[in-house]
mmCIF file of all heavy atoms in Angstrom:
data_model
loop_
_atom_site.group_PDB
_atom_site.id
_atom_site.type_symbol
_atom_site.label_atom_id
_atom_site.label_comp_id
_atom_site.label_asym_id
_atom_site.label_seq_id
_atom_site.Cartn_x
_atom_site.Cartn_y
_atom_site.Cartn_z
ATOM 1 N N LYS A 428 -10.210 17.259 35.463
ATOM 2 C CA LYS A 428 -11.447 17.382 34.699
ATOM 3 C C LYS A 428 -12.193 16.062 34.600
ATOM 4 O O LYS A 428 -13.468 16.056 34.688
ATOM 5 C CB LYS A 428 -11.113 17.890 33.304
ATOM 6 C CG LYS A 428 -12.325 18.152 32.403
ATOM 7 C CD LYS A 428 -11.927 18.518 31.000
ATOM 8 C CE LYS A 428 -11.134 19.833 30.946
ATOM 9 N NZ LYS A 428 -10.864 20.238 29.548
ATOM 10 N N TRP A 429 -11.483 14.933 34.412
ATOM 11 C CA TRP A 429 -12.116 13.639 34.231
ATOM 12 C C TRP A 429 -11.522 12.616 35.187
ATOM 13 O O TRP A 429 -10.329 12.613 35.412
ATOM 14 C CB TRP A 429 -11.911 13.169 32.793
ATOM 15 C CG TRP A 429 -12.441 14.113 31.748
ATOM 16 C CD1 TRP A 429 -13.705 14.578 31.603
ATOM 17 C CD2 TRP A 429 -11.666 14.674 30.683
ATOM 18 N NE1 TRP A 429 -13.781 15.406 30.520
ATOM 19 C CE2 TRP A 429 -12.545 15.490 29.936
ATOM 20 C CE3 TRP A 429 -10.355 14.578 30.258
ATOM 21 C CZ2 TRP A 429 -12.145 16.198 28.803
ATOM 22 C CZ3 TRP A 429 -9.933 15.285 29.133
ATOM 23 C CH2 TRP A 429 -10.822 16.089 28.413
ATOM 24 N N HIS A 471 -22.364 6.727 24.556
ATOM 25 C CA HIS A 471 -21.701 7.728 23.732
ATOM 26 C C HIS A 471 -22.643 8.461 22.744
ATOM 27 O O HIS A 471 -22.293 9.545 22.274
ATOM 28 C CB HIS A 471 -20.553 7.135 22.933
ATOM 29 C CG HIS A 471 -19.202 7.514 23.486
ATOM 30 N ND1 HIS A 471 -18.575 6.834 24.510
ATOM 31 C CD2 HIS A 471 -18.332 8.517 23.128
ATOM 32 C CE1 HIS A 471 -17.395 7.374 24.748
ATOM 33 N NE2 HIS A 471 -17.230 8.419 23.936
ATOM 34 N N ARG A 473 -26.114 10.178 21.045
ATOM 35 C CA ARG A 473 -27.335 10.953 21.279
ATOM 36 C C ARG A 473 -28.499 10.319 20.501
ATOM 37 O O ARG A 473 -28.293 9.363 19.753
ATOM 38 C CB ARG A 473 -27.126 12.401 20.796
ATOM 39 C CG ARG A 473 -25.888 13.079 21.407
ATOM 40 C CD ARG A 473 -25.774 14.514 20.897
ATOM 41 N NE ARG A 473 -24.556 15.144 21.404
ATOM 42 C CZ ARG A 473 -23.409 15.250 20.764
ATOM 43 N NH1 ARG A 473 -23.326 14.720 19.524
ATOM 44 N NH2 ARG A 473 -22.374 15.859 21.270
ATOM 45 N N SER A 477 -25.621 10.960 16.566
ATOM 46 C CA SER A 477 -24.324 11.591 16.642
ATOM 47 C C SER A 477 -23.672 11.206 17.966
ATOM 48 O O SER A 477 -24.374 10.745 18.897
ATOM 49 C CB SER A 477 -24.464 13.130 16.569
ATOM 50 O OG SER A 477 -25.146 13.631 17.674
ATOM 51 N N SER A 478 -22.377 11.372 18.081
ATOM 52 C CA SER A 478 -21.696 10.933 19.286
ATOM 53 C C SER A 478 -20.976 12.065 20.016
ATOM 54 O O SER A 478 -20.530 13.022 19.392
ATOM 55 C CB SER A 478 -20.680 9.805 18.975
ATOM 56 O OG SER A 478 -19.542 10.359 18.370
ATOM 57 N N TYR A 479 -20.938 11.912 21.343
ATOM 58 C CA TYR A 479 -20.039 12.751 22.124
ATOM 59 C C TYR A 479 -18.584 12.289 21.896
ATOM 60 O O TYR A 479 -18.369 11.184 21.420
ATOM 61 C CB TYR A 479 -20.357 12.604 23.614
ATOM 62 C CG TYR A 479 -21.681 13.186 24.035
ATOM 63 C CD1 TYR A 479 -22.818 12.381 24.096
ATOM 64 C CD2 TYR A 479 -21.798 14.517 24.364
ATOM 65 C CE1 TYR A 479 -24.026 12.911 24.464
ATOM 66 C CE2 TYR A 479 -23.045 15.059 24.749
ATOM 67 C CZ TYR A 479 -24.137 14.227 24.800
ATOM 68 O OH TYR A 479 -25.352 14.772 25.180
ATOM 69 N N HIS A 480 -17.632 13.136 22.222
ATOM 70 C CA HIS A 480 -16.252 12.797 22.125
ATOM 71 C C HIS A 480 -15.797 12.003 23.342
ATOM 72 O O HIS A 480 -15.224 10.942 23.280
ATOM 73 C CB HIS A 480 -15.408 14.042 21.923
ATOM 74 C CG HIS A 480 -13.933 13.805 21.734
ATOM 75 N ND1 HIS A 480 -12.995 14.785 21.906
ATOM 76 C CD2 HIS A 480 -13.261 12.678 21.434
ATOM 77 C CE1 HIS A 480 -11.804 14.284 21.690
ATOM 78 N NE2 HIS A 480 -11.921 12.983 21.423
ATOM 79 N N VAL A 481 -16.059 12.599 24.545
ATOM 80 C CA VAL A 481 -15.546 12.020 25.791
ATOM 81 C C VAL A 481 -16.708 11.717 26.754
ATOM 82 O O VAL A 481 -17.518 12.588 27.014
ATOM 83 C CB VAL A 481 -14.631 13.021 26.509
ATOM 84 C CG1 VAL A 481 -13.931 12.354 27.703
ATOM 85 C CG2 VAL A 481 -13.601 13.628 25.536
ATOM 86 N N ILE A 482 -16.737 10.491 27.242
ATOM 87 C CA ILE A 482 -17.649 10.140 28.357
ATOM 88 C C ILE A 482 -16.759 9.891 29.566
ATOM 89 O O ILE A 482 -15.786 9.108 29.495
ATOM 90 C CB ILE A 482 -18.472 8.890 28.072
ATOM 91 C CG1 ILE A 482 -19.259 9.042 26.773
ATOM 92 C CG2 ILE A 482 -19.387 8.567 29.237
ATOM 93 C CD1 ILE A 482 -20.302 10.142 26.800
ATOM 94 N N ASN A 493 -19.818 12.795 33.154
ATOM 95 C CA ASN A 493 -19.880 13.939 32.202
ATOM 96 C C ASN A 493 -19.922 13.395 30.793
ATOM 97 O O ASN A 493 -19.386 12.337 30.490
ATOM 98 C CB ASN A 493 -18.614 14.813 32.313
ATOM 99 C CG ASN A 493 -18.537 15.493 33.656
ATOM 100 O OD1 ASN A 493 -19.341 16.392 33.941
ATOM 101 N ND2 ASN A 493 -17.560 15.114 34.483
ATOM 102 N N ARG A 494 -20.529 14.180 29.914
ATOM 103 C CA ARG A 494 -20.521 13.896 28.499
ATOM 104 C C ARG A 494 -19.966 15.174 27.803
ATOM 105 O O ARG A 494 -20.635 16.209 27.788
ATOM 106 C CB ARG A 494 -21.919 13.539 27.940
ATOM 107 C CG ARG A 494 -22.399 12.183 28.370
ATOM 108 C CD ARG A 494 -23.801 11.876 27.830
ATOM 109 N NE ARG A 494 -24.137 10.485 27.949
ATOM 110 C CZ ARG A 494 -24.750 9.953 29.011
ATOM 111 N NH1 ARG A 494 -25.079 10.726 30.042
ATOM 112 N NH2 ARG A 494 -25.038 8.663 29.053
ATOM 113 N N HIS A 495 -18.785 15.054 27.250
ATOM 114 C CA HIS A 495 -18.098 16.220 26.694
ATOM 115 C C HIS A 495 -17.651 15.961 25.253
ATOM 116 O O HIS A 495 -17.600 14.856 24.772
ATOM 117 C CB HIS A 495 -16.810 16.528 27.512
ATOM 118 C CG HIS A 495 -17.091 17.075 28.887
ATOM 119 N ND1 HIS A 495 -16.138 17.099 29.863
ATOM 120 C CD2 HIS A 495 -18.216 17.585 29.438
ATOM 121 C CE1 HIS A 495 -16.696 17.626 30.977
ATOM 122 N NE2 HIS A 495 -17.922 17.954 30.711
ATOM 123 N N THR A 496 -17.396 17.080 24.537
ATOM 124 C CA THR A 496 -16.799 17.006 23.199
ATOM 125 C C THR A 496 -15.590 17.896 23.188
ATOM 126 O O THR A 496 -15.657 19.067 22.895
ATOM 127 C CB THR A 496 -17.841 17.421 22.133
ATOM 128 O OG1 THR A 496 -18.954 16.530 22.193
ATOM 129 C CG2 THR A 496 -17.257 17.344 20.728
ATOM 130 N N HIS A 497 -14.467 17.323 23.546
ATOM 131 C CA HIS A 497 -13.253 18.054 23.876
ATOM 132 C C HIS A 497 -12.636 18.724 22.668
ATOM 133 O O HIS A 497 -12.116 19.835 22.753
ATOM 134 C CB HIS A 497 -12.244 17.063 24.498
ATOM 135 C CG HIS A 497 -10.976 17.651 24.949
ATOM 136 N ND1 HIS A 497 -10.891 18.666 25.913
ATOM 137 C CD2 HIS A 497 -9.669 17.422 24.576
ATOM 138 C CE1 HIS A 497 -9.657 18.995 26.091
ATOM 139 N NE2 HIS A 497 -8.894 18.249 25.312
ATOM 140 N N GLN A 498 -12.628 18.067 21.503
ATOM 141 C CA GLN A 498 -12.008 18.641 20.309
ATOM 142 C C GLN A 498 -13.008 19.195 19.302
ATOM 143 O O GLN A 498 -12.591 19.600 18.216
ATOM 144 C CB GLN A 498 -11.110 17.568 19.652
ATOM 145 C CG GLN A 498 -9.849 17.246 20.458
ATOM 146 C CD GLN A 498 -9.054 16.093 19.933
ATOM 147 O OE1 GLN A 498 -8.971 15.057 20.609
ATOM 148 N NE2 GLN A 498 -8.518 16.230 18.776
ATOM 149 N N GLY A 499 -14.289 19.164 19.650
ATOM 150 C CA GLY A 499 -15.293 19.717 18.793
ATOM 151 C C GLY A 499 -15.655 21.132 19.184
ATOM 152 O O GLY A 499 -15.075 21.736 20.100
ATOM 153 N N TYR A 500 -16.684 21.700 18.533
ATOM 154 C CA TYR A 500 -17.103 23.075 18.773
ATOM 155 C C TYR A 500 -17.692 23.254 20.158
ATOM 156 O O TYR A 500 -17.395 24.229 20.879
ATOM 157 C CB TYR A 500 -18.096 23.492 17.694
ATOM 158 C CG TYR A 500 -18.901 24.731 18.067
ATOM 159 C CD1 TYR A 500 -18.252 25.969 18.229
ATOM 160 C CD2 TYR A 500 -20.275 24.671 18.190
ATOM 161 C CE1 TYR A 500 -18.960 27.084 18.569
ATOM 162 C CE2 TYR A 500 -21.008 25.808 18.510
ATOM 163 C CZ TYR A 500 -20.347 27.016 18.731
ATOM 164 O OH TYR A 500 -21.046 28.124 19.093
ATOM 165 N N ALA A 501 -18.529 22.322 20.596
ATOM 166 C CA ALA A 501 -19.193 22.434 21.886
ATOM 167 C C ALA A 501 -19.547 21.038 22.374
ATOM 168 O O ALA A 501 -19.530 20.065 21.597
ATOM 169 C CB ALA A 501 -20.473 23.271 21.797
ATOM 170 N N HIS A 502 -19.880 20.907 23.652
ATOM 171 C CA HIS A 502 -20.155 19.568 24.199
ATOM 172 C C HIS A 502 -21.298 18.869 23.433
ATOM 173 O O HIS A 502 -21.268 17.662 23.299
ATOM 174 C CB HIS A 502 -20.478 19.668 25.672
ATOM 175 C CG HIS A 502 -19.308 20.028 26.541
ATOM 176 N ND1 HIS A 502 -18.051 19.506 26.282
ATOM 177 C CD2 HIS A 502 -19.183 20.807 27.637
ATOM 178 C CE1 HIS A 502 -17.193 19.997 27.184
ATOM 179 N NE2 HIS A 502 -17.878 20.769 28.023
ATOM 180 N N GLU A 503 -22.270 19.619 22.973
ATOM 181 C CA GLU A 503 -23.427 19.012 22.288
ATOM 182 C C GLU A 503 -23.292 19.041 20.765
ATOM 183 O O GLU A 503 -24.242 18.744 20.071
ATOM 184 C CB GLU A 503 -24.717 19.721 22.730
ATOM 185 C CG GLU A 503 -25.074 19.518 24.184
ATOM 186 C CD GLU A 503 -25.280 18.038 24.586
ATOM 187 O OE1 GLU A 503 -25.782 17.262 23.725
ATOM 188 O OE2 GLU A 503 -24.916 17.659 25.710
ATOM 189 N N SER A 504 -22.116 19.385 20.278
ATOM 190 C CA SER A 504 -21.936 19.392 18.818
ATOM 191 C C SER A 504 -21.406 18.076 18.331
ATOM 192 O O SER A 504 -20.943 17.257 19.106
ATOM 193 C CB SER A 504 -21.010 20.553 18.402
ATOM 194 O OG SER A 504 -19.673 20.279 18.822
ATOM 195 N N ALA A 505 -21.435 17.930 17.036
ATOM 196 C CA ALA A 505 -20.955 16.652 16.392
ATOM 197 C C ALA A 505 -19.618 16.894 15.704
ATOM 198 O O ALA A 505 -19.523 17.410 14.586
ATOM 199 C CB ALA A 505 -21.982 16.183 15.388
ATOM 200 N N TRP A 506 -18.552 16.556 16.410
ATOM 201 C CA TRP A 506 -17.199 16.638 15.943
ATOM 202 C C TRP A 506 -17.019 15.647 14.787
ATOM 203 O O TRP A 506 -17.304 14.462 14.918
ATOM 204 C CB TRP A 506 -16.223 16.343 17.096
ATOM 205 C CG TRP A 506 -14.800 16.335 16.789
ATOM 206 C CD1 TRP A 506 -14.080 17.297 16.120
ATOM 207 C CD2 TRP A 506 -13.843 15.317 17.171
ATOM 208 N NE1 TRP A 506 -12.754 16.930 16.063
ATOM 209 C CE2 TRP A 506 -12.597 15.745 16.708
ATOM 210 C CE3 TRP A 506 -13.956 14.141 17.889
ATOM 211 C CZ2 TRP A 506 -11.422 14.973 16.938
ATOM 212 C CZ3 TRP A 506 -12.816 13.356 18.109
ATOM 213 C CH2 TRP A 506 -11.575 13.805 17.618
ATOM 214 N N GLN A 510 -17.500 11.232 14.567
ATOM 215 C CA GLN A 510 -18.483 10.488 13.834
ATOM 216 C C GLN A 510 -17.823 9.431 12.942
ATOM 217 O O GLN A 510 -18.289 8.299 12.786
ATOM 218 C CB GLN A 510 -19.374 11.424 12.981
ATOM 219 C CG GLN A 510 -19.888 12.660 13.659
ATOM 220 C CD GLN A 510 -20.329 12.472 15.098
ATOM 221 O OE1 GLN A 510 -21.217 11.657 15.383
ATOM 222 N NE2 GLN A 510 -19.722 13.195 16.057
ATOM 223 N N ASP A 555 -16.474 20.333 12.295
ATOM 224 C CA ASP A 555 -17.560 19.969 13.211
ATOM 225 C C ASP A 555 -18.861 20.268 12.468
ATOM 226 O O ASP A 555 -18.963 21.318 11.799
ATOM 227 C CB ASP A 555 -17.458 20.831 14.503
ATOM 228 C CG ASP A 555 -18.425 20.378 15.591
ATOM 229 O OD1 ASP A 555 -19.669 20.415 15.368
ATOM 230 O OD2 ASP A 555 -17.967 19.962 16.675
ATOM 231 N N ASN A 557 -21.570 21.187 13.491
ATOM 232 C CA ASN A 557 -22.300 22.311 14.069
ATOM 233 C C ASN A 557 -21.440 23.521 14.243
ATOM 234 O O ASN A 557 -21.778 24.454 15.021
ATOM 235 C CB ASN A 557 -22.895 21.910 15.410
ATOM 236 C CG ASN A 557 -23.751 20.668 15.316
ATOM 237 O OD1 ASN A 557 -23.345 19.599 15.828
ATOM 238 N ND2 ASN A 557 -24.899 20.710 14.648
ATOM 239 N N PRO A 626 -10.406 23.842 18.486
ATOM 240 C CA PRO A 626 -10.512 24.609 19.768
ATOM 241 C C PRO A 626 -9.174 24.850 20.433
ATOM 242 O O PRO A 626 -9.004 25.788 21.196
ATOM 243 C CB PRO A 626 -11.401 23.701 20.630
ATOM 244 C CG PRO A 626 -12.208 22.934 19.660
ATOM 245 C CD PRO A 626 -11.287 22.651 18.513
ATOM 246 N N HIS A 627 -8.196 23.989 20.193
ATOM 247 C CA HIS A 627 -6.875 24.130 20.770
ATOM 248 C C HIS A 627 -5.863 24.702 19.765
ATOM 249 O O HIS A 627 -4.670 24.708 20.040
ATOM 250 C CB HIS A 627 -6.376 22.778 21.278
ATOM 251 C CG HIS A 627 -7.303 22.149 22.288
ATOM 252 N ND1 HIS A 627 -8.296 21.240 21.928
ATOM 253 C CD2 HIS A 627 -7.413 22.318 23.611
ATOM 254 C CE1 HIS A 627 -8.974 20.884 22.969
ATOM 255 N NE2 HIS A 627 -8.442 21.506 24.025
#
Side-chain angles (χ1 to χ4, degrees):
K428 184 184 297 186
W429 303 302
H471 253 85
R473 307 181 182 97
S477 65
S478 74
Y479 292 93
H480 182 198
V481 189
I482 304 297
N493 295 291
R494 289 180 166 89
H495 290 164
T496 300
H497 183 60
Q498 289 172 246
Y500 163 62
H502 289 322
E503 295 299 325
S504 70
W506 178 50
Q510 315 319 303
D555 190 299
N557 306 110
H627 302 94

